[in-house]
Amino acid sequence: MLMLVTGGSGSGKSEFAENIAVSCGSDNLIYIATMFPYDEEAFKKVERHKIMRKDKNFSTMECFTNLKKISLPKGTTVLLDCMSNLVANEMYQRDGAKELTFECVLDGVKSIKNEADNFIIVTNEIFSDGIEYDVETEKYLSNLGRINEAIGNIADKIVEVVYTIPIYQKGEKP
Amino acid sequence: MIFVIGGEYQGKLNYVLNLTKLKREDMVDGVCGSEKELEEKQIIYNFHLLIKRLLKKDENIEFVEGKIKDIIQKNPEVIIISNEIGYGVVPIDKFDRKYRELAGRISCELAKEAKEVHRVICGIGSIIKG
């Protein structure tokens, strides 16, 4: 099962995705953390998420770039949080995929989808503030938007979380 | 408490007034309303700007959350209208980031407590909870 979870900032999408991952009932829960703790604020965000999932029995793997390098044992449920950080890392970090961000991220997603029983991806709705950004930021928005669309195409379920309330945009609500 | 959300300029206030047959006089604006009005009026409008106003007064998150909790405790049947924010690129300004994050977190709490949550787009509301 591939599920894409989206929503605005502070909408409760991560917590929702964690609960979905736990409810899959797998013995092997893997959390792929993509946020690079580049400053104090990012570090605090990472800590907040660690506290939120501490009793949920995830084993955490950090992956800032090149999702494809991850290889998984059989029978896993994987939660990736979140796509917006992974895309930024691929575009801007030294060992990132740069111009090949779209292709590289999608290859990684497909490879995990093939190996895991359940794969839940958290992404971000950052496309509606009506501001025209500089070329670099627009390129980032375009990459993330296209990646969301491509994952949406192969996902079994797409859930938009609105202030903790899940709205199923694709697939049936369980 | 009923929570009504949606983007800016989507007709949220008109939607609520039509639905409830309440009048503009029954509404307090979060931008400028007094504590007394917030605790007594049937509709709180621009709730997101009330969060911003409180956060500007005191950047302590607990202070803002406490004030909001007080208002709802004293006005448990209130209809709260708030803009859905947080659907854009992370703001450069630190206060803006803090406000956006806090508005999201408080709205999550309100959505959990609310007996109904309505989401308005182009004047049309859908009930997403209740």
Side-chain angles (χ1 to χ4, degrees), chain A residues 9-10 41 48 125 128 160, chain B residues 86-87 97 104-105 108 111 119:
Chain A
S9 149
E41 214 173 298
R48 192 182 78 84
E125 280 308 304
S128 309
E160 181 190 10
Chain B
Y87 292 99
R97 283 200 298 277
R105 301 278 162 234
C108 285
R119 194 183 200 198

Side-chain angles (χ1 to χ4, degrees), chain B residues 111-130:
Chain B
K112 279 183 202 164
E113 277 178 43
K115 63 178 179 197
E116 289 172 20
V117 179
H118 299 232
R119 194 183 200 198
V120 180
I121 294 171
C122 305
I124 307 294
S126 8
I127 298 177
I128 60 172
K129 178 188 172 184

Side-chain angles (χ1 to χ4, degrees), chain A residues 7-12 15 41 45 48 124-129 133 137 141 160-165 167, chain B residues 3 5 83-90 94 97 100-101 103-105 107-109 111-112 117 119 128-129:
Chain A
S9 149
S11 60
E15 197 175 353
E41 214 173 298
K45 251 193 160 136
R48 192 182 78 84
N124 220 318
E125 280 308 304
I126 57 169
F127 308 100
S128 309
D129 57 11
Y133 290 96
T137 309
L141 287 170
E160 181 190 10
V161 180
V162 180
Y163 299 145
T164 73
I165 301 162
I167 298 174
Chain B
F3 194 32
I5 56 173
N83 279 13
E84 252 184 276
I85 59 168
Y87 292 99
V89 174
V90 178
K94 195 172 180 193
R97 283 200 298 277
R100 189 175 84 132
E101 175 83 20
R105 301 278 162 234
S107 299
C108 285
E109 287 310 309
K112 279 183 202 164
V117 179
R119 194 183 200 198
I128 60 172
K129 178 188 172 184

Side-chain angles (χ1 to χ4, degrees), chain A residues 50-67:
Chain A
K50 276 186 185 164
I51 292 167
M52 210 159 80
R53 67 173 188 270
K54 75 174 178 6
D55 297 325
K56 291 175 181 159
N57 286 323
F58 283 100
S59 46
T60 300
M61 283 171 135
E62 282 181 342
C63 179
F64 304 132
T65 54
N66 196 10
L67 204 52

Side-chain angles (χ1 to χ4, degrees), chain B residues 14-74:
Chain B
N14 277 337
Y15 169 79
V16 167
L17 295 179
N18 280 334
L19 198 71
T20 57
K21 308 294 168 215
L22 290 168
K23 302 210 163 43
R24 276 181 180 263
E25 301 87 86
D26 303 313
M27 174 271 280
V28 51
D29 194 329
V31 175
C32 53
S34 70
E35 208 157 304
K36 189 167 180 289
E37 287 174 308
L38 291 164
E39 289 168 5
E40 287 173 0
K41 294 276 188 180
Q42 284 155 286
I43 302 170
I44 299 177
Y45 183 48
N46 281 330
F47 176 78
H48 59 295
L49 295 178
L50 172 66
I51 295 175
K52 194 179 214 172
R53 175 159 67 124
L54 292 169
L55 192 62
K56 272 192 177 154
K57 204 158 123 189
D58 185 340
E59 278 213 35
N60 184 349
I61 286 170
E62 284 78 31
F63 162 80
V64 181
E65 286 173 334
K67 280 276 177 201
I68 302 292
K69 213 173 238 174
D70 278 356
I71 291 166
I72 294 165
Q73 219 161 42
K74 288 176 183 151

Side-chain angles (χ1 to χ4, degrees), chain A:
Chain A
M1 188 271 298
L2 176 62
M3 179 188 269
L4 184 63
V5 177
T6 191
S9 149
S11 60
K13 57 191 183 303
S14 291
E15 197 175 353
F16 172 82
E18 285 169 15
N19 292 338
I20 289 283
V22 170
S23 75
C24 288
S26 164
D27 293 332
N28 201 347
L29 271 178
I30 294 172
Y31 184 96
I32 301 178
T34 61
M35 184 176 232
F36 186 74
Y38 49 86
D39 67 4
E40 175 72 20
E41 214 173 298
F43 182 76
K44 273 190 186 155
K45 251 193 160 136
V46 170
E47 289 303 306
R48 192 182 78 84
H49 278 235
K50 276 186 185 164
I51 292 167
M52 210 159 80
R53 67 173 188 270
K54 75 174 178 6
D55 297 325
K56 291 175 181 159
N57 286 323
F58 283 100
S59 46
T60 300
M61 283 171 135
E62 282 181 342
C63 179
F64 304 132
T65 54
N66 196 10
L67 204 52
K68 218 178 162 181
K69 69 175 181 255
I70 291 177
S71 75
L72 297 165
K74 278 207 156 79
T76 54
T77 289
V78 178
L79 169 58
L80 184 147
D81 197 352
C82 70
M83 190 48 79
S84 51
N85 288 320
L86 181 66
V87 171
N89 296 342
E90 292 290 9
M91 287 179 72
Y92 306 124
Q93 281 200 13
R94 207 183 306 156
D95 61 348
K98 303 279 180 335
E99 294 300 319
L100 294 172
T101 293
F102 176 83
E103 291 78 6
C104 177
V105 169
L106 266 200
D107 280 354
V109 166
K110 284 175 188 162
S111 128
I112 292 179
K113 180 183 186 279
N114 284 337
E115 289 183 15
D117 286 353
N118 304 292
F119 186 18
I120 297 131
I121 300 172
V122 178
T123 189
N124 220 318
E125 280 308 304
I126 57 169
F127 308 100
S128 309
D129 57 11
I131 298 171
E132 262 182 59
Y133 290 96
D134 57 283
V135 177
E136 261 315 297
T137 309
E138 288 293 337
K139 208 193 240 175
Y140 169 71
L141 287 170
S142 153
N143 270 334
L144 183 62
R146 287 190 304 137
I147 287 166
N148 285 350
E149 182 191 358
I151 298 172
N153 271 327
I154 55 171
D156 302 293
K157 291 181 182 193
I158 303 174
V159 182
E160 181 190 10
V161 180
V162 180
Y163 299 145
T164 73
I165 301 162
I167 298 174
Y168 282 71
Q169 302 287 5
K170 181 180 181 182
E172 290 292 306
K173 192 176 175 170

